[in-house]
Amino acid sequence: MSMPRYPLKIHLITLTTVLVTLVGGSIGWLAHDRTTRILHESTTALTEAVSRGVAREIALREERVRAMLSVIATHDALRTAGFESRAEVIDALAQALRASPQLVALYVGYGDGDYLLMRHVDGPRDEAIFETLPGTRFVIQHIERGGIEPVSEYIYLDVNLDELGRRQRPEALTFDPRQRPWYRDAQSDDIIATRPYRFFTSGLMGFSLAMRLPDPAAMGIVLGADIRLGDLERELARLRPTPHARIGLFDADGQLIATSDADQDAGIFAPLLAARAQVGAGLAPVLGNANWYGRVLPIRDAGGEGYQVAILIPGDEMLGDARLLLRDQTLLAGVLLVVGLVAGVMVSRAMARSLQQLAETAVSIRDFDFTDRPRVQSAIQEVDELSRCLDEMRLTLGRFQEISHRVAQEEDLDRLTGQVLRDTVDIARARSAILFLEEPDGFRAAAALFDGVFKDERGAESLLQHRERLRVTEA
């Protein structure tokens, strides 16, 4: 079975296409892989920076309130009985609330179930919850269980702490500070921080700081503060690693505390939070949505260890530069492929034309056609060398053919001898030549040509005697 044969241009075009595709594809894949890896690592580092930023913000809030609690804890009015005596601490509580917008409320719980809380009213939501009076800036809630009848009421104060009115809230008697986590966890004068939870009165998400006051009378006094976390939207939005990234702050149970977009619910983070094994792991495509990359990072250096930061980054933003680079490289490879194909076609045509002409020359030589024709010239050294050799072969064979014709037609032996010698020396590019004639008893030197000088039989014999000085080639 014969091997299939194709024109040279097909081989060159195929070779060019394969080489450009392999080289361009390899370079493009390597560049895309490296760029993707670098972007992935840099984005991972950014997510860690986001986690540190959130932790730092929570820690700053905690640090400010810790300092305030330490100062308020020195107030003697906290260690007295009855609201009227304890009310002397209201100025200190109001000053602390004004100084820290993230501070939702300050409160004191007692071992007998008494409770004193002061909070500032912030917006229509608080006004509706506490049924405030016009102009209310602060609300005081106090519960006393030591009298004949338990008392629970709200006291409304304006910005100057002047009383605007009171309302009895007997339904609030169901609240017992001794059952709250901040009261139970505060066992000494060291300030403790609770895990994030939803506040009883306002329903806001946050955490509490609490400390047990030194109490000679064994009143079981615990001073606490609620710090909101739901207002972290602005800080989370500022920390976004890409323009459309999503950041969510969650508690240990996956309950949403705050997001980088106020109108965003926790649903978008559900697939990410469902993969618990990914907590602390690197960025990975979100399950069921390859257009997003996500990561969950724990916050260990804030109040407690109950926080998780979930970060979602659009794939187009995270890998946009890598995809753009891959697109540009693909376009460049396509341009190079087209240029390579055009160059391959041009070179193959030039080579094929030269080789075709050489083939025609070889066919004419095979057919004993030694007529003059222009020598094929090529920029390819091997092709040009082959053309030169074929041309010289054609000329040589043509000269031998002329000699044969001359031998057949010439009747003067001496003249024929001289002419044959000269033509042979010229064809062989030799310096000298000796012509032998065959006789019955062997070969006889009939004539010679030495350095262009014709010599008869005696001169030829003389040359033979000194043949050891000559480089002799028999033909």
Side-chain angles (χ1 to χ4, degrees):
M1 183 176 180
S2 61
M3 182 182 296
R5 295 175 296 174
Y6 302 97
L8 177 63
K9 64 180 179 180
I10 299 299
H11 290 281
L12 290 178
I13 292 174
T14 302
L15 178 62
T16 302
T17 302
V18 171
L19 286 178
V20 172
T21 301
L22 287 177
V23 173
S26 299
I27 294 175
W29 180 83
L30 286 174
H32 179 264
D33 181 68
R34 292 287 181 86
T35 305
T36 300
R37 190 177 307 171
I38 292 172
L39 289 173
H40 191 279
E41 292 174 354
S42 62
T43 307
T44 299
L46 287 175
T47 61
E48 294 173 353
V50 170
S51 176
R52 291 193 298 270
V54 175
R56 185 168 52 251
E57 176 63 23
I58 296 175
L60 285 174
R61 296 185 177 197
E62 179 181 339
E63 182 179 351
R64 287 194 293 265
V65 177
R66 279 178 180 270
M68 294 176 184
L69 287 181
S70 298
V71 174
I72 296 173
T74 62
H75 210 292
D76 293 333
L78 296 175
R79 297 168 176 84
T80 61
F83 173 72
E84 299 304 327
S85 299
R86 295 168 182 166
E88 294 181 9
V89 79
I90 288 177
D91 287 340
L93 298 181
Q95 184 177 357
L97 289 170
R98 291 190 184 102
S100 180
Q102 291 80 30
L103 188 57
V104 177
L106 289 164
Y107 43 83
V108 187
Y110 293 86
D112 58 0
D114 284 0
Y115 182 63
L116 173 64
L117 173 145
M118 184 173 185
R119 61 173 295 132
H120 53 66
V121 177
D122 186 14
R125 187 174 185 275
D126 286 352
E127 293 174 356
I129 291 175
F130 300 102
E131 300 178 358
T132 62
L133 301 174
T136 300
R137 185 67 180 86
F138 297 95
V139 174
I140 295 175
Q141 177 187 6
H142 79 93
I143 298 174
E144 292 185 20
R145 305 179 190 271
I148 299 175
E149 291 290 338
V151 176
S152 174
E153 65 179 357
Y154 285 172
I155 303 174
Y156 305 103
L157 306 178
D158 63 13
V159 69
N160 297 317
L161 303 182
D162 294 329
E163 184 175 332
L164 298 175
R166 300 190 181 198
R167 280 203 177 113
Q168 297 296 316
R169 299 297 296 265
E171 70 276 7
L173 288 172
T174 58
F175 174 81
D176 189 341
R178 296 167 294 184
Q179 304 302 318
R180 302 304 292 170
W182 53 267
Y183 189 94
R184 295 196 306 266
D185 294 344
Q187 299 298 322
S188 68
D189 58 356
D190 292 332
I191 298 177
I192 60 96
T194 67
R195 295 178 60 184
Y197 68 100
R198 193 170 298 280
F199 299 144
F200 180 87
T201 305
S202 65
L204 298 175
M205 287 296 296
F207 67 97
S208 298
L209 297 180
M211 61 180 294
R212 188 172 292 270
L213 274 58
D215 180 16
M219 297 176 65
I221 306 172
V222 174
L223 174 64
D226 288 343
I227 303 173
R228 78 176 73 197
L229 294 175
D231 63 340
L232 284 171
E233 286 89 355
R234 183 178 300 177
E235 181 66 18
L236 294 179
R238 186 186 66 82
L239 292 172
R240 285 187 295 198
T242 63
H244 296 93
R246 310 288 178 83
I247 303 175
L249 179 64
F250 295 83
D251 64 10
D253 298 324
Q255 190 171 9
L256 180 65
I257 297 174
T259 67
S260 56
D261 299 284
D263 57 348
Q264 176 182 302
D265 58 28
I268 191 172
F269 298 100
L272 186 61
L273 294 173
R276 293 293 182 182
Q278 290 186 5
V279 176
L283 278 168
V286 177
L287 183 64
N289 192 344
N291 294 325
W292 290 85
Y293 285 77
R295 189 182 188 191
V296 179
L297 291 168
I299 297 180
R300 300 184 177 90
D301 54 351
E305 297 183 358
Y307 300 104
Q308 297 179 87
V309 176
I311 304 172
L312 289 172
I313 302 176
D316 292 339
E317 293 183 357
M318 175 177 167
L319 302 177
D321 291 340
R323 292 173 180 173
L324 184 61
L325 178 62
L326 179 61
R327 186 200 67 182
D328 294 342
Q329 290 176 335
T330 302
L331 291 176
L332 179 60
V335 172
L336 292 177
L337 179 60
V338 172
V339 172
L341 290 177
V342 173
V345 169
M346 295 177 64
V347 172
S348 63
R349 284 183 177 178
M351 290 183 62
R353 188 182 305 112
S354 300
L355 293 176
Q356 183 64 34
Q357 291 174 346
L358 292 178
E360 293 174 356
T361 300
V363 169
S364 65
I365 293 174
R366 182 197 64 186
D367 296 337
F368 295 97
D369 179 9
F370 306 119
T371 56
D372 289 339
R373 62 179 61 205
R375 186 173 80 84
V376 177
Q377 296 184 348
S378 174
I380 301 175
Q381 182 178 355
E382 290 77 7
V383 175
D384 192 71
E385 184 68 18
L386 177 60
S387 173
R388 185 184 64 78
C389 292
L390 281 177
D391 192 63
E392 291 180 357
M393 182 176 69
R394 178 185 61 79
L395 293 175
T396 299
L397 292 176
R399 295 289 295 276
F400 274 114
Q401 187 181 52
E402 292 177 2
I403 292 174
S404 299
H405 290 165
R406 192 177 296 114
V407 169
Q409 297 175 0
E410 185 62 56
E411 297 179 355
D412 187 342
L413 183 60
D414 291 337
R415 187 166 60 184
L416 177 62
T417 300
Q419 189 62 42
V420 169
L421 278 173
R422 288 186 178 87
D423 289 343
T424 303
V425 167
D426 186 43
I427 292 172
R429 297 178 183 177
R431 177 181 175 187
S432 303
I434 300 175
L435 179 64
F436 294 88
L437 295 178
E438 184 179 9
E439 295 185 351
D441 56 349
F443 289 93
R444 175 177 61 83
L449 190 65
F450 185 76
D451 289 339
V453 179
F454 181 78
K455 295 183 181 295
D456 56 11
E457 182 177 347
R458 294 181 61 185
E461 291 292 342
S462 176
L463 283 175
L464 281 177
Q465 293 176 4
H466 300 86
R467 65 184 297 171
E468 64 276 2
R469 301 184 200 172
L470 304 174
R471 193 173 112 190
V472 180
T473 301
E474 296 182 2

